[in-house]
Amino acid sequence: MVVTAGTRWASRAQFFSSGFIFATWGVHVPTVKAHYGLDEAQLGLALLAAGAGAMFGLTSAGRWIGRHGPRRIAALSGCVYALLLAGLIAMPGYFALMGLLAAFGLVTSVFDVAINTEAAQLEMQSGTPLMSGMHGMFSLGGMAGAASGSAVLAAGMGAQTHLLLVAAVMVLLVALSSTRMLPKAATGNTTGADHSFRLPRGPLAVLGVLAALGLIAEGAIYDWSVLYMQQELGSPQKQAALAYAAFSAAMAAARFGGDAMRARFTPVALLRGSGVLAAAAMTLVLLTDLPWLALVGFAGVGVGFANVVPILFGASARVPGVEPASGIASVSAVAYLGFMAGPAVIGLLARASSLTAALYVVVIFAAALAASARFTRSEEAG
């Protein structure tokens, strides 16, 4: 099947929607914290519930996508993902919030695997690197979601109104773009193929560990950067939201150039350079007391982590003998183990010391990513 421009743009729209929804959640982390009267540890445990839901979704995503195809699963999970956003501050209490976040994490992970499977198939069928650009659309969506969230908060729009508005627009975008995705017959997901979840071994295990390093650190920025600016540097929430926007904007810019970088440099060189840059930039964020300089640092962290996940997810979809959805789900599962535990660990560390000290986890994992880049040598052919 010929990959059309419309099909590629449908996939880009899905990644954009995912980033926009996730950024809107990131902007409202302080809102949720204040609304339910949570401390950092309680917030971290609520985020852990989202991670647990994501893990359950990852164990089933390959099977569901194999049975129904990425298009149908992306449409369903993406629409539910957007709708759950509207309930973030409408729950009757903390435990109800944890239940909603568990469901939120489940559909997030399934949607993520579905759209990455679609992108991997488009890349293979077209013979052109596309994955970094797709993830660039996720970051662009994150930038747009964070920037628009900051703008509406500054304009005085209520948090619930903002969440309802975003949910409605994103449901429409996901539903419409899903109609232009590849039909199930064109995705290579066959009825007789093995779509079961598998614990990664060999090359998949290496890719999974490296993806975990990237997602733990990246997730810490998504979940804690706005609160860090507000709580540690004294920025108002409308300014604090720009931390997420700066991170996402820089990541988007770097990802749009990422496919050309992948063609020019080896994965080892890219991962090593990415880790060093991210570690240095996050150190700047944590050492400065100037909000504008912290924003520059968050942008540097975004550039550093920009192409880590696209490289690793693209490779996981091309492991011989493994269906793309199953390969992505297996690598994602290892990554989400860290992604799931990361927010809770940072919350507990923040309560024991400070949020500033806790966020040095990002520096440590970025440095570890740089040090472990040599293990991607076996994946360079992929």
Side-chain angles (χ1 to χ4, degrees):
M1 178 178 177
V2 177
V3 176
T4 66
T7 304
R8 288 193 294 268
W9 277 107
S11 188
R12 292 182 182 115
Q14 298 280 14
F15 276 88
F16 179 89
S17 300
S18 180
F20 199 103
I21 296 168
F22 200 66
T24 302
W25 154 241
V27 166
H28 284 286
V29 167
T31 306
V32 170
K33 182 175 183 289
H35 181 79
Y36 295 99
L38 309 179
D39 62 23
E40 282 82 359
Q42 290 173 315
L43 180 59
L45 289 174
L47 296 172
L48 182 62
M55 285 301 298
F56 179 79
L58 288 169
T59 62
S60 303
R63 183 173 68 255
W64 293 340
I65 294 167
R67 183 178 301 164
H68 302 290
R71 181 166 68 179
R72 183 176 296 181
I73 296 301
L76 177 61
S77 59
C79 288
V80 175
Y81 182 25
L83 290 171
L84 288 175
L85 189 70
L88 283 175
I89 56 173
M91 295 295 100
Y94 178 62
F95 290 105
L97 171 68
M98 291 183 72
L100 181 139
L101 287 176
F104 192 72
L106 188 155
V107 294
T108 300
S109 66
V110 174
F111 187 51
D112 184 61
V113 174
I115 62 178
N116 274 284
T117 300
E118 172 84 356
Q121 292 290 351
L122 292 175
E123 190 171 76
M124 287 187 285
Q125 291 188 27
S126 67
T128 304
L130 297 171
M131 188 67 80
S132 289
M134 294 298 179
H135 282 260
M137 291 301 294
F138 174 88
S139 298
L140 187 62
M143 178 188 68
S148 62
S150 177
V152 299
L153 287 170
M157 179 181 287
Q160 186 61 65
T161 301
H162 178 227
L163 292 169
L164 286 168
L165 179 61
V166 171
V169 173
M170 290 298 109
V171 165
L172 182 62
L173 182 57
V174 168
L176 289 177
S177 58
S178 295
T179 64
R180 300 297 300 273
M181 292 173 67
L182 291 172
K184 181 177 182 291
T187 63
N189 289 294
T190 57
T191 303
D194 180 11
H195 303 287
S196 61
F197 176 79
R198 64 184 71 192
L199 289 174
R201 298 177 181 178
L204 283 179
V206 174
L207 293 170
V209 170
L210 294 176
L213 294 176
L215 280 185
I216 290 170
E218 187 178 328
I221 305 301
Y222 287 135
D223 288 329
W224 296 100
S225 62
V226 176
L227 189 62
Y228 174 81
M229 291 285 292
Q230 185 180 34
Q231 182 173 292
E232 303 294 291
L233 298 184
S235 301
Q237 188 175 357
K238 62 183 180 181
Q239 182 187 60
L242 295 177
Y244 193 110
F247 174 78
S248 295
M251 180 171 276
R255 280 178 169 170
F256 285 127
D259 292 319
M261 296 283 285
R262 288 168 61 195
R264 183 173 180 180
F265 298 103
T266 67
V268 174
L270 284 177
L271 286 174
R272 184 170 292 135
S274 295
V276 169
L277 175 58
M282 192 65 197
T283 300
L284 173 64
V285 169
L286 297 173
L287 290 179
T288 186
D289 58 359
L290 301 174
W292 70 267
L293 191 54
L295 292 177
V296 172
F298 279 122
V301 176
V303 174
F305 285 119
N307 290 299
V308 172
V309 171
I311 292 169
L312 300 173
F313 277 19
S316 70
R318 295 190 294 272
V319 174
V322 180
E323 285 292 308
S326 295
I328 291 171
S330 294
V331 169
S332 296
V334 178
Y336 270 94
L337 283 172
F339 195 71
M340 176 178 70
V345 169
I346 289 175
L348 292 169
L349 289 173
R351 187 166 69 173
S353 53
S354 68
L355 185 55
T356 298
L359 285 174
Y360 272 101
V361 168
V362 176
V363 178
I364 294 169
F365 278 100
L369 182 65
S372 64
R374 66 185 185 279
F375 292 112
T376 63
R377 284 197 181 95
S378 63
E379 307 306 326
E380 289 179 19

